[in-house]
Each structure stands twice: as C-alpha cells, then as structure tokens.
Amino acid sequence: MDIASEVRSIASRSFTRHIDDIQPETVIAKLGVDYIDIACVAIDLEDRLGIELSHAELVRLEKPTATIADLIGMVERAKVMA
C-alpha cells in the first residue's frame, strides 16, 4: 500500500469517516476533528510506518486550511528521513 493510501485508511478509521470522505484535498478542520484526533492518527502512522512526526508538524494540521495532502506530505518526508 502506498503512503497516501495508508494515510487515508488510518485517517478514515481514526476520524470514523468513510474512506471516500478522506481525499488529499479534504480540509481536516471540516472533518470536525481536534488535535487529539490528529495525534491519534499520527501515533498509528508512526507505529505502522516506523516514522516519527513532530509536535510542531502536527500543530500545523490544526490550521483551517490544512488538508489530508499536508498530512501525506509530512508522512512522506518522515519516511525519507527514517
């Protein structure tokens, strides 16, 4: 499974949304999630992919314009660094 699919799958489960609702262009704030929800997704991604996402990066996902594509990009960068 590629990184984008993995992120979408984990976010779908954690945010209790259908996978079709979790597209790269989906604005995270419109999903009605908070930082704790984002942190749970990050922990799942870290465990599954053997990466580390920083608190500073995750805070950026709370911005009203942050998208699933932003999360995917963070994970891809972390994967390169791992």
Side-chain angles (χ1 to χ4, degrees):
M1 185 177 287
D2 66 18
I3 290 175
S5 296
E6 192 74 41
V7 169
R8 289 181 60 231
S9 176
I10 289 172
S12 171
R13 282 193 309 275
S14 293
F15 298 159
T16 59
R17 302 287 184 165
H18 191 276
I19 190 74
D20 292 339
D21 295 335
I22 309 294
Q23 298 298 324
E25 64 276 3
T26 301
V27 175
I28 295 170
K30 290 187 178 181
L31 296 172
V33 300
D34 60 16
Y35 183 79
I36 293 175
D37 297 318
I38 293 168
C40 288
V41 168
I43 291 167
D44 287 348
L45 288 166
E46 289 173 339
D47 290 346
R48 177 110 175 151
L49 301 174
I51 60 170
E52 188 172 325
L53 299 171
S54 73
H55 171 73
E57 288 177 311
L58 297 177
V59 167
R60 285 186 251 156
L61 296 177
E62 290 185 292
K63 291 182 180 181
T65 58
T67 64
I68 295 296
D70 295 323
L71 176 57
I72 292 168
M74 287 178 189
V75 171
E76 289 173 338
R77 287 188 298 279
K79 192 70 174 160
V80 168
M81 300 288 220

